[in-house]
Structure formats: C-alpha cells, structure tokens
Amino acid sequence: MTESENRGATALPSDLFRDPACSTSARPVTVGGKWTALVLRCLEDGRPHRFTELRVPLHWITPKVLTETLRAMERDGFVSRTVHDEHPPRVEYALTPLGRSLLDPLDAACAWARTHGSAIAEARDSYDTAAETR
C-alpha cells in the first residue's frame, strides 16, 4: 500500500464528534485530561494514526494542546507512540491495551449522557439563572 493509499485508509472524519451527548461541553465524565476521551475515540478503530490525521476531527484543539494530551496519554499508558526511521520521521499513535480498556466505560458514560443530557442542560440553565441573580 502506498503512503497516499494508507493515508486515505486511515482518514478520520471531521465530524467524528457530531454526537451532542459526547461533545466537549456535554461530557459529565472526564478520563485523564480534558481531551483524553476525544483522542480515545479517534484511535478506537485500532489503527495507528499520525498527528495530522488526529487534527482533522480535533480541529478546535491547538497543536500544542493536542501534543500535551498525547504525551500525557503516553505517560499514563493509554497510547503508544511509534517513530518510524524515515526522512522526515513518521510518528504514529495507537491505543495500548490499557487505553482500549477505557472504551467500554467511555461508551457507558456516553450512553448515560444521552439518557440524562436534557436533565444536565436543565440543571446548568437553572444554576446559571440563579447565579445571575446573586
């Protein structure tokens, strides 16, 4: 498989996070850092992905913050970082077995958020309204 074919086979969709229940503002549960769950979702297909591929669905995260997130996830044992001996170097990220073990709890948290999302939104609105009158 050529490099361009490989890139096409592992492309991540820009709308990967279209499910409002698991958007950045709706998530009631955070694993690791703020963006860890979203990176887990990007890597859940089991294939290694390059940094630039991860940037497509995570376009609102700055490259610096994505780098910090990936480093923290590597430190926690959730992702592996593979540097290929090429010029220029090619670096790929993939979930480790420990990282994969987070997918079921993440699925459960997203299902819970789908079920209770309106209650969370109502509670936030109520809190914000009360805070404005304080």
Side-chain angles (χ1 to χ4, degrees):
M1 186 178 287
T2 68
E3 181 64 27
S4 61
E5 290 172 331
N6 187 40
R7 274 195 301 267
T10 61
L12 295 168
S14 61
D15 64 346
L16 183 63
F17 301 106
R18 67 185 169 271
D19 182 352
C22 286
S23 69
T24 58
S25 62
R27 284 180 293 134
V29 177
T30 302
V31 174
K34 180 177 181 179
W35 306 112
T36 299
L38 299 179
V39 174
L40 287 168
R41 284 287 181 223
C42 289
L43 296 173
E44 74 179 326
D45 64 6
R47 297 178 299 198
H49 290 281
R50 297 176 74 167
F51 184 87
T52 54
E53 293 170 330
L54 296 173
R55 292 273 301 134
V56 174
L58 301 171
H59 54 88
W60 62 86
I61 303 175
T62 66
K64 178 182 183 260
V65 171
L66 181 55
T67 297
E68 291 169 352
T69 300
L70 288 165
R71 285 182 183 159
M73 291 177 71
E74 183 181 12
R75 182 176 184 259
D76 290 342
F78 300 156
V79 299
S80 62
R81 179 178 183 267
T82 304
V83 180
H84 297 275
D85 189 21
E86 298 174 1
H87 188 70
R90 180 170 48 102
V91 179
E92 294 179 321
Y93 299 90
L95 287 182
T96 63
L98 182 61
R100 293 201 73 70
S101 74
L102 287 168
L103 294 175
D104 285 340
L106 186 58
D107 289 342
C110 285
W112 183 91
R114 273 186 219 93
T115 301
H116 301 287
S118 59
I120 295 168
E122 288 174 24
R124 289 177 179 174
D125 288 344
S126 178
Y127 179 89
D128 292 345
T129 300
E132 290 173 2
T133 61
R134 290 182 199 151

